[in-house]
Amino acid sequence: MVEKLTTINVARIREDFPILKRQVNDKPLVYFDNAATSQKPNVVIDAIDRYYREYNANIHRGIHKLAEEATLAYEEAREKVAKFVNAKGTEEIIFTRNATEAINLVAYAWGRANVGRGDKIVLTIMEHHSNIVPWQLLAQEKEAELEFITIDGNGELRQDEVQELIDEKTKIVCMTHASNVLGTINPVKEIGRVAHRYGAMFLIDAAQTVPHITVDLREIDCDFAAFSGHKMLGPTGIGVLYGKSEQLQNMPPFLGGGEMIREVHETGSSWKDPPYKFEAGTPDVAGAIGLGTAVDYLTGIGMRNVHDYEKEITSYALERMKQVDGVTIYGPRDVARRVGVISFNLGDIHPHDLASILDEEGIAIRSGHHCAEPLIEFLQVPATSRASFYIYNTMEEVDVFVNALEKARKLFAR
Amino acid sequence: MSSDIYKDIILDYYRNPRNYGDLPEPDVRAKDSNPLCGDIIEMQLKIRDGKVDDIRFKGKGCAISQASASMLTEAVKGQTLDELKAMGKPYVLELLGIDPGPTRIKCALLALKVLKLAVYGYLGQAVTEEVRQLV
């Protein structure tokens, strides 16, 4: 049942997002592509702007005032992120370009030092390409094996395969916290326990959860977690790798260069401690500051409220979409087991045609394989359409969207 | 609903494709796909006196890609291979009667690319960079 919303003022939140005033094809923009990237509130845009206008400087090195202010702001952002996901400390938060780079960092630095011939890397069929391809590259290089846990008819991971595939040969289990196609929230804590029982590392791709639900990484007890700033109201170009201190300490560096070294001599170099060991070169200072501000914004609303509201709008959308003739919805029926991502098909209308028709109505959805081709193949569909929500979406927008689905259905039924 | 790019004629060709299927003994066949959205089109041609004597297509994908393939097969019957080689993007857009926009243009041009692949294949000539770049 749809619970009554009391804790979040969507109308006020919408005021914070300038892009939502835009018209697309002479219609008000309905932005339902939040699983791809979120829109940005004024505070984030302003924080980035202020950095460049008032205290732009390179960090960690300069002695002057601007360098001091910039370094402080960059490290404050790290603290905010650490707190937001309940890391033990800032040494566990590495800034990367995005979640993809975060996963690649682990595959290169940890993977090349720890995975060997005949070892197993266990993934799931619902992974984004970013959590498949780095492991394929590693497996090819090391002659390791990849295994995929598949899903049941409800779009949830098969527990029998979890038990069967993770074994003493397994070096790392890598899985998404929530599917960017099905919306399924995976029981990461339980699966992590299985991985750890066999001494395997456990990595989660939290790109679809950190922006939308309370994520307590210490409680989940993963060794690594990756997420992106741009999906959580922050700018593009900044992402996060969380790593447990003990893992990061023992890992060789990823990229070499300035910032990450303690000493450099002709004969060799020594590294700084984490997180700096993994942040070679001038980082995206503005991006980190923007992300820190986005974290403040989300914390201000409260992640509990964010999640509750998204459950409400997702329930409403599922309810309304089911009434459209010929709609097939993928993923868990139970809204408590999914994030605000709904993949669907409408009759035999190709998802690209549907996305075009909706675009004419000012509605932005995603269509295609959503960078998860193995899953789309597993579902045995050529592609899907996907609507995904965030705190600034409204029930009225869901109505506009459902009406457009009806129009598309009628158009193609002729 | 008034849809700018899904005009009746395009939906009609999508729902009731003309020249769909196989030719008994084609002189040449070509096939290509649009990796971005998975549209697939195959063309089969019968050539006589340097002209398209008969043509069929098969495929899967969005309405734009399939309708443009069907319309193209109708339009090119009787045309010379030189004419097909000279045929460009405006020809297809005029056939469709729409501007699909930058994100969908590749859907519209896949059929033209496959047709040209068939022509170059028949003539035993190397496919030009221009053709490769169509989709």
Side-chain angles (χ1 to χ4, degrees), chain A residues 350, chain B residues 20 38-41 58-62 65-66 110:
Chain A
H350 193 283
Chain B
Y20 192 90
D39 293 341
I40 300 172
I41 287 169
K58 287 194 295 190
K60 268 196 299 199
C62 68
S65 71
Q66 304 303 305
L110 180 61

Side-chain angles (χ1 to χ4, degrees), chain A residues 156-227:
Chain A
E156 301 191 59
L157 291 176
R158 286 185 48 173
Q159 289 306 314
D160 55 330
E161 294 187 357
V162 170
Q163 302 299 333
E164 197 182 302
L165 293 177
I166 303 174
D167 59 17
E168 47 287 322
K169 276 167 70 187
T170 306
K171 284 286 158 145
I172 188 165
V173 176
C174 309
M175 60 183 296
T176 192
H177 193 183
S179 163
N180 71 316
V181 177
L182 302 166
T184 319
I185 301 175
N186 288 318
V188 281
K189 199 176 157 188
E190 290 69 23
I191 296 175
R193 227 179 271 147
V194 178
H196 286 153
R197 200 190 305 145
Y198 291 102
M201 288 289 123
F202 185 53
L203 175 145
I204 63 167
D205 168 0
Q208 297 295 341
T209 49
V210 170
H212 302 285
I213 67 179
T214 306
V215 175
D216 183 333
L217 292 177
R218 257 195 285 178
E219 212 230 323
I220 291 169
D221 196 29
C222 55
D223 299 285
F224 302 104
F227 52 98

Side-chain angles (χ1 to χ4, degrees), chain A residues 24-88:
Chain A
V24 170
N25 295 322
D26 301 323
K27 311 268 168 56
L29 166 69
V30 173
Y31 187 78
F32 280 179
D33 195 15
N34 292 288
T37 197
S38 67
Q39 298 304 342
K40 323 300 174 199
N42 279 318
V43 285
V44 168
I45 300 166
D46 292 346
I48 294 164
D49 188 75
R50 203 177 316 120
Y51 163 69
Y52 282 125
R53 286 179 191 281
E54 296 175 16
Y55 60 102
N56 172 56
N58 210 330
I59 55 167
H60 293 142
R61 279 162 291 199
I63 305 294
H64 55 82
K65 186 68 184 164
L66 296 191
E68 187 190 304
E69 286 178 14
T71 304
L72 199 70
Y74 182 77
E75 291 303 330
E76 250 175 32
R78 198 194 304 275
E79 270 168 46
K80 288 171 186 175
V81 172
K83 222 167 130 190
F84 193 63
V85 295
N86 196 27
K88 217 158 55 189

Side-chain angles (χ1 to χ4, degrees), chain B residues 114-127:
Chain B
V114 174
L115 183 64
K116 283 175 181 268
L117 291 177
V119 171
Y120 282 94
Y122 178 78
L123 296 171
Q125 294 173 357
V127 177

Side-chain angles (χ1 to χ4, degrees), chain A residues 348-350 352-357 360-361 368-369 382-383 404 407-408 411-414, chain B residues 1-6 8 11 14-15 35-39 61-64 103-104 107:
Chain A
D348 65 348
I349 305 178
H350 193 283
H352 283 93
D353 290 326
L354 188 64
S356 283
I357 294 167
E360 289 174 13
E361 301 290 309
H369 51 56
K407 281 186 188 173
L411 183 74
F412 270 74
R414 278 190 293 176
Chain B
M1 170 187 171
S2 69
S3 175
D4 289 344
I5 65 173
Y6 294 93
D8 284 349
L11 289 171
Y14 177 55
R15 286 293 184 219
L36 197 72
C37 50
D39 293 341
C62 68
I64 307 280
T103 54
R104 302 299 301 280
C107 306

Side-chain angles (χ1 to χ4, degrees), chain A residues 346-404:
Chain A
L346 178 53
D348 65 348
I349 305 178
H350 193 283
H352 283 93
D353 290 326
L354 188 64
S356 283
I357 294 167
L358 263 55
D359 180 58
E360 289 174 13
E361 301 290 309
I363 304 164
I365 62 158
R366 190 67 179 269
S367 59
H369 51 56
H370 317 290
C371 295
E373 276 186 77
L375 175 60
I376 298 296
E377 276 171 22
F378 188 82
L379 293 172
Q380 295 185 309
V381 291
T384 74
S385 298
R386 180 185 74 186
S388 52
F389 314 113
Y390 215 168
I391 39 171
Y392 38 72
N393 291 128
T394 66
M395 306 298 163
E396 291 74 25
E397 288 181 318
V398 172
D399 293 338
V400 171
F401 163 70
V402 171
N403 290 341

Side-chain angles (χ1 to χ4, degrees), chain B residues 89-103:
Chain B
K89 174 174 143 183
Y91 186 87
V92 177
L93 296 188
E94 201 169 307
L95 266 184
L96 285 166
I98 57 160
D99 176 7
T103 54

